[in-house]
Amino acid sequence: MRILIATYWYLPHVGGVNTYVNVLRKELMAAGHQVDVLAHHPDMQKYYIVHSGRYLTKAKIKQVVYDNVLKYFETSQPYVDDWIRWREIERYSFELAAISFNLKQYDLIHTQDIISTRALSRVKPPNVPLVATIHGLLATEHMFSGDVTSKQSLPWKYVCKEEYYGATSATKTMVPTSWLKRKLSEPDYGVPPKLLHTVPYGMDIQQFLRKYNAPPSSYVPMVESGKTVLICPARLVPVKGHRYLLEAIYRLKQKRNDFVCWLIGNGPLYSEMVSLASSLGITDVVHFFGDRDDVPQLLRQSDILVLPSVQDNHPFSIMEAQVAGKLVVASNAGGIPEMVSHKKTGFIFASSNSDDLASKLNYVLSHPTLAKQVAVQGHRWGLHRWSLSTLLKNTMGIYLSALEKVRK
């Protein structure tokens, strides 16, 4: 088959969607399929087919869309927020861009977010099936980030409809976790559960281990002998819950001094989190690394992965830590409890609860033998659960079902 993987987000970037697309593309190509990837360019000024050199300047399309959409809102719906207008302009622009890349040449299109799914569903040829993977719940992420401030507001109603149409516009829709399936079925979004198929992620374990065993590409601070390294590789955004981790580190430091904490990643909260660490007096044990291209290597030099998310779906960081044999201490947010079984394959704490996180960290640091046993069990679980063969088999099953549905 000739397959188009499409996403509104820019590629490459640091995050789960980028990892998923790379893994899936590689496996599909190894199975003999031709695969193109359509996305925003990292500069957000172009749409392009990744790895091909084919691109379209965004301004040429967006200006036309902007003028027409703005005119419509000014005359027909002047009460609509600028934020909503911007989102409409972005989606219409993506639609027009997709058309220019000749969608007729593909046997199947696989979108990776609610925006590209709705856009491609409107412009794809009728005989080309559209499969969507929804990687998270953007509506509530907008609440966490402050883009949407009230569930009585027009922006909230708009993002709920975005979720609905994003999840129902494809021929077949996949979600990585049962949690996301349940959430999308709630009254706010109203997606019929029968339309959603749960397909967990997979990872290229061998490629990951090659990186894991390579030397770091940049500076790594020295760690005193006998100190445990906690590592948190996550974007510095509200939904990842770094505030609760820093507060937990503050509480933990009152009891012991046999650990350090590495925060790997960047984001809009970077300066705020650095200031918070300073005000809490924990800068001697917390190190901010910013974005790194050697996260697997840093994971090898650490001992415990800590993920304090307030919402998360199916984080690759947990998958990688389990495959690496590292202990996972993670919140009970989203789909994480489907990946980590408390005291069996990792440790779970209550989301947004820095006291509980501090307590769990103190417990595992005080019981190193048990912590090691749980890490070993997590390692066995990860090697079995996250295999690429399982991902490819399940995904191809959805593809074939979508093709059959279109042909009826």
Side-chain angles (χ1 to χ4, degrees), residues 109-124:
I109 299 171
H110 186 173
T111 49
Q112 304 297 316
D113 55 85
I114 56 175
I115 300 170
S116 63
T117 302
R118 183 58 178 165
L120 271 294
S121 72
R122 289 163 45 87
V123 298
K124 74 174 184 66

Side-chain angles (χ1 to χ4, degrees), residues 23 34 46 66 104 136 170 179 185 253 283 314 351 361:
V23 165
Q34 297 181 56
K46 296 186 286 287
Y66 180 89
K104 294 180 181 179
W179 167 80
S185 303
K253 190 184 172 189
T283 54
H314 196 299
S351 173
L361 289 174

Side-chain angles (χ1 to χ4, degrees), residues 184-309:
L184 288 171
S185 303
E186 290 179 354
D188 277 338
Y189 316 110
V191 179
K194 65 181 180 180
L195 298 182
L196 304 174
H197 307 272
T198 304
V199 179
Y201 294 153
M203 61 178 287
D204 189 333
I205 293 174
Q206 295 307 313
Q207 182 184 60
F208 167 75
L209 291 177
R210 284 194 294 272
K211 293 180 179 178
Y212 179 81
N213 290 310
S217 60
S218 295
Y219 169 76
V220 179
M222 293 292 295
V223 178
E224 291 180 36
S225 177
K227 289 201 172 184
T228 298
V229 178
L230 314 177
I231 186 170
C232 176
R235 293 173 297 129
L236 282 124
V237 293
V239 74
K240 293 299 183 181
H242 290 88
R243 170 177 294 277
Y244 303 104
L245 174 56
L246 295 180
E247 291 173 353
I249 294 298
Y250 167 75
R251 289 166 173 76
L252 192 62
K253 190 184 172 189
Q254 311 308 306
K255 300 178 179 179
R256 59 199 312 145
N257 64 351
D258 58 349
F259 70 94
V260 294
C261 181
W262 295 353
L263 302 187
I264 318 297
N266 210 332
L269 295 185
Y270 186 91
S271 297
E272 182 179 333
M273 292 302 102
V274 170
S275 295
L276 177 60
S278 178
S279 66
L280 291 172
I282 56 175
T283 54
D284 57 326
V285 295
V286 175
H287 303 280
F288 291 85
F289 283 64
D291 283 335
R292 295 283 292 247
D293 60 5
D294 56 353
V295 177
Q297 295 95 309
L298 294 174
L299 181 63
R300 180 165 59 90
Q301 300 196 31
S302 69
D303 301 291
I304 300 173
L305 177 101
V306 186
L307 199 63
S309 304

Side-chain angles (χ1 to χ4, degrees), residues 47 91 125 215 308:
Y47 308 101
R91 195 194 72 247

Side-chain angles (χ1 to χ4, degrees), residues 313-380:
N313 187 24
H314 196 299
F316 273 90
S317 58
I318 289 178
M319 298 165 64
E320 292 174 347
Q322 289 176 333
V323 166
K326 302 296 181 178
L327 181 67
V328 174
V329 178
S331 77
N332 62 353
I336 291 175
E338 297 173 45
M339 307 173 71
V340 180
S341 180
H342 185 55
K343 287 192 175 181
K344 294 179 180 179
T345 60
F347 284 80
I348 294 289
F349 66 92
S351 173
S352 306
N353 189 327
S354 53
D355 285 329
D356 193 29
L357 173 53
S359 175
K360 293 298 192 301
L361 289 174
N362 188 51
Y363 181 84
V364 298
L365 289 171
S366 300
H367 298 82
T369 301
L370 175 62
K372 181 61 177 177
Q373 291 172 350
V374 173
V376 169
Q377 290 166 189
H379 177 62
R380 292 171 182 158

